[in-house]
Amino acid sequence: MCPTSTGWCESLRCSARTHNREKSFKCTVCPSSFARSGTLKRHMRIHSGEKPFKCPMCPSSFIESGNLKCHLRIHSGEKPFKCSLCTSSFNQSGNLKVHMRTHTREKPFKCTMCPSTFTLSVDLKIHMKIHSGEKLFKCTICPSSFVKSGNLKRHMTIHSEERPFKCTLCPSSFTQSGYLKIHMRTHSGEKPFKCTVCLSSFSRAGTLKQHMGTHSGDKHYKCPVCPSCFSDPWQLKAHMRIHSGERLYKCKVCPSSYCRSEHLKRHMRIHTGEKPFKCTMCPSSFIESGNLKRHVRIHSGEKPFKCSLCPSSFNQSGNLKVHMRTHTREKPFKCSLCPSGFIYSGQLKFYMRAHSGRNNSSV
């Protein structure tokens, strides 16, 4: 059958069973069966709990000698399995195999419900909980629950007062070092995450991921309440709070609360006075990046918002909206004392003073 030759009948019989796929050694506890008696013997240790191979350096023990051999490399620091493409090395061949996927970009574990693929089976298992809605990790202080234990750990910092990671350039402080690292990019202007389709770049990987959905058009996560759909499950989760009215992120200075942590973060700048977005052409600084973007148009003279009915153009969309009322004759600001209406809120305010003056003079 094969080049294998042996003087031992039993070895020959085992070799024959391997070729014939005969499994005559059957487990008496479960349906498993094996071609060799030694393999059955090792298998039975799973049921008996026997672990005869003991580590001489710690209390660990193992079913098989090979497992002990791998374990001993933890103590010795030996890493015999070396990557041929980088300097990484590993104490188990399986770990090297998984590592090689970072070079090959292989993602063999595929989600059956969406196009997502993963390098590790455990990542797929965690991802599937997004589709099933299973959230085993529950907050003990509020109703929140999470798919990952790490997400719960990060969430618990919302309830804690501790913010040990402090910015050296402004009064901001953070619950995690990663948040501080991201925040420092607002000062440095660094945007390391670049879009491969257009020239956009971002300070956060998550923001780039959301942006890429605008190019691909893939929005697999649909809101069950309204027609909205999203390219990222966390966007859908944040969106659902609009429908539920849930506001987990509460300001500790005033009664304000928010659906998203980033909204609370922006709000807190009102209290701290932090204005991290600084104009490079004048001393002005702003709480939000959008406000800085609008301000810069004053210097550049850019007026991207153009009226479709006349040559007027504006540096803010809100100004165009107000201007359009001169064409539509819409007067949304109504006097509560007479039928008069006005295009601008300032006109109504001025008119109300006139009302007040007339009423006082008639008394």
Side-chain angles (χ1 to χ4, degrees), residues 212-231:
M212 291 306 293
T214 63
H215 294 301
S216 66
D218 294 333
K219 294 186 176 182
H220 301 285
Y221 302 95
K222 301 182 186 302
C223 175
V225 180
C226 74
S228 300
C229 53
F230 303 89
S231 57

Side-chain angles (χ1 to χ4, degrees), residues 61-192:
S61 57
F62 303 90
I63 290 173
E64 297 190 33
S65 60
N67 294 346
L68 173 59
K69 188 177 179 181
C70 290
H71 168 79
L72 284 169
R73 293 182 190 132
I74 297 171
H75 296 297
S76 68
E78 182 190 6
K79 294 183 177 182
F81 303 99
K82 301 183 186 302
C83 177
S84 59
L85 299 173
C86 72
T87 54
S88 300
S89 58
F90 303 90
N91 58 15
Q92 294 188 36
S93 60
N95 293 348
L96 172 60
K97 185 179 178 180
V98 170
H99 165 78
M100 290 306 294
R101 292 175 190 151
T102 62
H103 297 298
T104 63
R105 305 295 180 191
E106 181 192 5
K107 295 185 177 182
F109 302 99
K110 302 180 189 301
C111 177
T112 56
M113 303 182 75
C114 77
S116 300
T117 57
F118 302 89
T119 303
L120 303 176
S121 60
V122 67
D123 291 339
L124 173 60
K125 187 176 180 181
I126 291 169
H127 168 80
M128 291 307 294
K129 291 173 184 172
I130 295 170
H131 295 298
S132 67
E134 181 185 7
K135 294 180 180 180
L136 298 177
F137 303 97
K138 302 182 187 300
C139 177
T140 56
I141 298 173
C142 74
S144 299
S145 56
F146 302 89
V147 172
K148 298 182 185 182
S149 60
N151 293 348
L152 172 60
K153 187 177 179 180
R154 284 194 292 272
H155 165 81
M156 291 305 293
T157 60
I158 296 169
H159 300 298
S160 168
E161 297 286 337
E162 187 182 2
R163 288 175 173 262
F165 302 98
K166 301 183 187 302
C167 178
T168 56
L169 298 173
C170 74
S172 299
S173 58
F174 302 89
T175 54
Q176 295 181 41
S177 60
Y179 293 160
L180 173 59
K181 186 178 179 181
I182 292 168
H183 165 79
M184 292 306 292
R185 292 177 189 145
T186 62
H187 296 298
S188 67
E190 181 192 8
K191 294 184 177 182

